[in-house]
Amino acid sequence: TTLPQHTRPAATKALPHPTPSTMTRYSVEPDAAVPHSKSRGSHLRVHYKHCREIAHHIKGMSASKANKFLEDVLARKAVVPFTRHTGGIGRKAMAKQCNSAGDKGRWPVKATAVVKDLLSNAVSNGETKGLDADKLYISHAQVNRAPPGRRRTYRAHGRIGKYASQPAHIELILTEKQDGVEKADDEEGEGARGKRITKKMAAKKRFVQVGGGSA
């Protein structure tokens, strides 16, 4: 039997596949003309505060230097300085080696291993794109809070307390350093190496004498 028109099931429409530009969003989008590579991790089960301090410290470092620092942290040869989330963080003599305010620090091993894996992934992505791994540096490192994982713990007198985790979103962008341009040899001109001139002398150079006369 044929069903009436109003009782027939509606045909399901296939959803379009997401484009690469909408699959992963970053907080910043670098210029496409600048060679760069990216790496991102979402809902990572590592403490947000630890990841924030690690990312803040390695931002601006070269990829090789940052990788060496993270390896030293795992081996307890270097410490991660804590500059913002300092509540309850003990003082460490090793933290004075870092060029940062205060002497508080920790060795967050789990978060360090996760950031190190993301950094290695970003370097591999750059090599796949034909970038020079020796010239890559961390131009952008950002950590955001992820929705907390909610669990429960049992307290005295039949009470229940929250037992939440604080995961994180981490994103790294590596950029290839550009070779510097040498300054031109302009000894007699007005460039960086030339003589400084006053406004009055500059005005005289702009002045055009009209006509002529006998000396």
Side-chain angles (χ1 to χ4, degrees):
T1 60
T2 304
L3 295 176
Q5 186 69 26
H6 63 278
T7 59
R8 293 179 183 177
T12 57
K13 186 177 180 181
L15 296 176
H17 292 286
T19 59
S21 60
T22 59
M23 291 179 65
T24 304
R25 295 177 57 187
Y26 286 78
S27 60
V28 296
E29 285 297 333
D31 189 4
V34 178
H36 65 274
S37 63
K38 301 178 182 178
S39 180
R40 177 184 169 90
S42 300
H43 302 280
L44 302 175
R45 285 298 301 271
V46 285
H47 289 309
Y48 156 76
K49 294 181 180 181
H50 293 173
C51 296
R52 186 267 167 194
E53 299 294 349
I54 296 172
H56 176 72
H57 186 66
I58 66 174
K59 183 179 179 181
M61 289 186 182
S62 63
S64 58
K65 182 179 179 181
N67 187 66
K68 179 65 169 58
F69 170 75
L70 297 176
E71 289 178 352
D72 290 343
V73 172
L74 294 176
R76 301 295 182 97
K77 296 179 180 179
V79 69
V80 177
F82 278 55
T83 58
R84 174 175 294 180
H85 305 291
T86 57
I89 306 298
R91 301 175 185 272
K92 306 293 188 300
M94 193 181 295
K96 297 179 181 179
Q97 301 173 2
C98 306
N99 188 17
S100 59
D103 56 355
K104 296 184 177 182
R106 274 184 177 177
W107 298 275
V109 175
K110 184 177 179 181
T112 300
V114 171
V115 174
K116 184 175 179 295
D117 290 342
L118 286 175
L119 179 61
S120 300
N121 188 17
V123 173
S124 299
N125 292 340
E127 292 177 346
T128 304
K129 297 172 67 174
L131 304 182
D132 188 359
D134 296 333
K135 295 183 179 181
L136 293 177
Y137 75 98
I138 303 174
S139 59
H140 173 74
Q142 180 170 320
V143 179
N144 295 329
R145 286 185 184 270
R150 302 185 181 275
R151 291 182 291 170
R152 60 172 59 180
T153 183
Y154 301 95
R155 311 301 298 271
H157 309 292
R159 293 177 299 168
I160 292 178
K162 71 172 185 177
Y163 203 72
S165 63
Q166 301 295 331
H169 306 311
I170 307 175
E171 59 184 41
L172 300 176
I173 297 180
L174 307 184
T175 307
E176 192 175 43
K177 284 187 177 180
Q178 303 295 329
D179 296 332
V181 180
E182 295 184 359
K183 294 181 180 179
D185 294 334
D186 190 13
E187 297 296 339
E188 298 180 357
E190 303 172 8
R193 300 180 183 178
K195 299 178 182 179
R196 295 190 62 181
I197 60 175
T198 62
K199 292 183 179 180
K200 186 175 182 180
M201 294 173 63
K204 285 184 177 180
K205 288 189 176 184
R206 293 193 301 267
F207 179 75
V208 179
Q209 187 176 359
V210 181
S214 59

